[in-house]
Amino acid sequence: QVQLVESGGGLVQPGGSLRLSCAASGSIFSINAMGWFRQAPGKQRELVAAITNRGSTNYGDSVKGRFTISRDNGKNTVYLQMNNLKPEDTAVYYCNALITKLATPTVPANYWGQGTQVTVSS
């Protein structure tokens, strides 16, 4: 069994910062890409940022220059540092990872966390 557990969401004022964390655990052989998606009410889930196991990053256009994704491969953890937050960043943020399990080391599968709420409001 593989689990992704997110933490760090909450309420913040416009211009503020938050840091999200997502730790993967379970019978993990390897983790390829990790990333964050978000979904606001009435909108489709969208990519926020992603990072490969070699550190290459990709960001959604709306967060470039404000958000930074990083990972600690030794801890199977991905982070999202969010600065200069705006009300339009309000959403549920989901962690995502492409993971290969010990039992099936040649078959990667996509896993999702349960989501953490980020609310930007004065």
Side-chain angles (χ1 to χ4, degrees), residues 30-83:
S30 65
I31 302 178
N32 298 325
M34 301 185 81
W36 294 92
F37 288 72
R38 67 186 182 187
Q39 188 166 18
K43 294 188 176 181
Q44 288 189 332
R45 190 172 296 191
E46 63 174 358
L47 171 71
V48 177
I51 184 168
T52 69
N53 55 1
R54 295 188 177 185
S56 296
T57 58
N58 183 37
Y59 294 92
D61 288 341
S62 62
V63 306
K64 286 180 181 176
R66 299 188 297 122
F67 291 10
T68 302
I69 190 169
S70 61
R71 65 189 280 177
D72 184 332
N73 290 331
K75 295 182 179 180
N76 289 339
T77 299
V78 64
Y79 305 96
L80 185 68
Q81 178 66 45
M82 304 185 292
N83 298 329

Side-chain angles (χ1 to χ4, degrees), residues 1-3 25-31 98-109 111:
Q1 189 77 344
V2 171
Q3 280 190 317
S25 63
S27 301
I28 296 171
F29 177 74
S30 65
I31 302 178
L98 190 61
I99 294 174
T100 304
K101 293 168 59 176
L102 288 169
T104 53
T106 61
V107 182
Y111 291 87

Side-chain angles (χ1 to χ4, degrees), residues 8 10-20 66-67 80-86 118 120:
L11 173 65
V12 64
Q13 292 186 342
S17 298
L18 282 176
R19 189 191 194 211
L20 304 183
R66 299 188 297 122
F67 291 10
L80 185 68
Q81 178 66 45
M82 304 185 292
N83 298 329
N84 190 21
L85 282 159
K86 304 176 180 180
V118 171
V120 185

